[in-house]
Amino acid sequence: MTDVVIRVRGLRMAYGPVRVLNGVDLDLRRGEVFTLLGPNGAGKTTLVEILEGFRTGWSGEVEVLGENPARAGDAWRARLGVVMQSWRDNPRWRVRDLVAHAAAHYDAPRDVDDVLAALGLAEEARTRAGVLSGGRRRRLDVALGIVGRPEVLFLDEPTTGFDPEARREFHLLIERLAGEEGLTVLLTTHDLAEAERLSGRIAVLVAGRVVTCGSPAELASAVQAPSRVRWDGGELETADPSGAAWDLHRRYGGPVPGLEIRRPTLEESYLDLIEGARTR
């Protein structure tokens, strides 16, 4: 599959006697936004650090842009963009100077002013990074991650501290970069609404294993969390809401008064999946 830019097979990792990854298999395709979900301690950070080339000592097969991250060099690393969860270096640099300095290390970077404008940082171009608010500093982190025009972008909780308008603008930016430029994005987030909005596919990692992978709708289907059927005469939970609605239709001999079907949300599906995986 020539469009696969990240390929993982049988990935295992342990810290001493503690197993963190237990045979992870994943494929990420060019131009997709892929979200990695999982509770704290599931192995998400370790997995992403291996893909970024920051973590060694693992076994299995991993290829990112056709290379093994543990052996890849600077030219390969220049094709990646990384936005860490917490990055507070270079506080004395002015915003534009810092982004321009990062851009100078790439052969074909994005225009610095275009990047600042896209992330709503144009007015802070001359502001020192150390005095930015948490949300504005987070935007700067993202600017540094995309200015090099990466082919693969790793985003760890990218919209922490964003207000709703900034979050929406960021989502539109990521959708445009993935759709128009073929950027592959691996997103880790605890914001399930964000995952559902941005992701073509979602993988759920529990105890070092991928317990399901697919679209948000496929995730809900895989869990088979019950739907809720309500009508003027009552309410029930069922795994087959269409069948229940048909039974009610036959019972009433026609339209069912006040009929409403509420299918499980991504959050409900995710929580049911996590609980089920922990008890197996």
Side-chain angles (χ1 to χ4, degrees):
M1 296 172 61
T2 57
D3 66 338
V4 172
V5 297
I6 295 178
R7 180 178 182 274
V8 179
R9 293 291 182 274
L11 179 60
R12 298 179 182 275
M13 180 76 186
Y15 300 124
V18 180
R19 293 184 180 181
V20 181
L21 299 175
N22 295 286
V24 172
D25 295 331
L26 283 178
D27 286 318
L28 273 69
R29 298 185 290 266
R30 189 173 306 279
E32 80 168 323
V33 181
F34 187 100
T35 295
L36 189 62
L37 293 177
N40 292 334
K44 300 189 302 298
T45 298
T46 296
L47 172 57
V48 172
E49 288 178 347
I50 289 171
L51 299 178
E52 294 168 342
F54 293 143
R55 180 73 60 182
T56 59
W58 48 268
S59 64
E61 299 178 21
V62 179
E63 286 188 359
V64 178
L65 296 170
E67 297 196 42
N68 182 329
R71 297 193 293 267
D74 291 342
W76 171 84
R77 191 167 298 282
R79 300 166 68 190
L80 308 180
V82 177
V83 179
M84 297 180 178
Q85 188 170 5
S86 179
W87 199 341
R88 295 290 182 267
D89 58 352
N90 304 309
R92 296 186 179 182
W93 283 73
R94 299 186 189 278
V95 167
R96 191 188 187 285
D97 293 342
L98 182 56
V99 178
H101 176 73
H105 290 81
Y106 298 94
D107 293 333
R110 291 188 171 86
D111 180 84
V112 172
D113 293 313
D114 287 348
V115 170
L116 295 182
L119 287 164
L121 289 172
E123 294 184 1
E124 284 93 348
R126 301 294 299 166
T127 302
R128 296 189 186 278
V131 302
L132 294 175
S133 67
R136 310 303 283 185
R137 174 63 219 219
R138 199 65 184 136
R139 296 189 192 201
L140 176 56
D141 293 341
V142 175
L144 293 169
I146 68 172
V147 72
R149 205 181 296 273
E151 296 174 52
V152 177
L153 179 63
F154 296 97
L155 295 174
D156 189 3
E157 300 286 344
T159 57
T160 300
F162 279 27
D163 58 46
E165 182 179 359
R167 184 177 290 107
R168 178 179 178 276
E169 291 172 353
F170 174 76
H171 291 167
L172 292 172
L173 173 64
I174 293 301
E175 289 169 345
R176 178 172 62 81
L177 293 176
E180 297 177 6
E181 301 187 18
L183 175 67
T184 300
V185 179
L186 177 57
L187 169 71
T188 59
T189 181
H190 290 289
D191 186 338
L192 295 179
E194 180 168 77
E196 189 167 21
R197 161 68 191 271
L198 286 177
S199 308
R201 290 189 299 147
I202 297 171
V204 179
L205 193 69
V206 181
R209 290 186 173 86
V210 175
V211 295
T212 191
C213 179
S215 68
E218 289 169 338
L219 175 59
S221 176
V223 177
Q224 295 183 339
S227 297
R228 191 178 299 274
V229 179
R230 295 173 178 166
W231 68 102
D232 286 352
E235 177 180 326
L236 61 86
E237 287 189 347
T238 175
D240 182 16
S242 298
W246 177 244
D247 288 342
L248 287 169
H249 180 81
R250 288 188 299 179
R251 185 191 309 172
Y252 278 85
V256 181
L259 179 64
E260 176 185 351
I261 297 176
R262 180 180 177 276
R263 300 184 185 276
T265 65
L266 176 61
E267 180 175 6
E268 290 167 337
S269 300
Y270 170 70
L271 293 174
D272 281 357
L273 184 63
I274 296 298
E275 184 62 28
R278 282 173 169 166
T279 57
R280 282 199 294 269

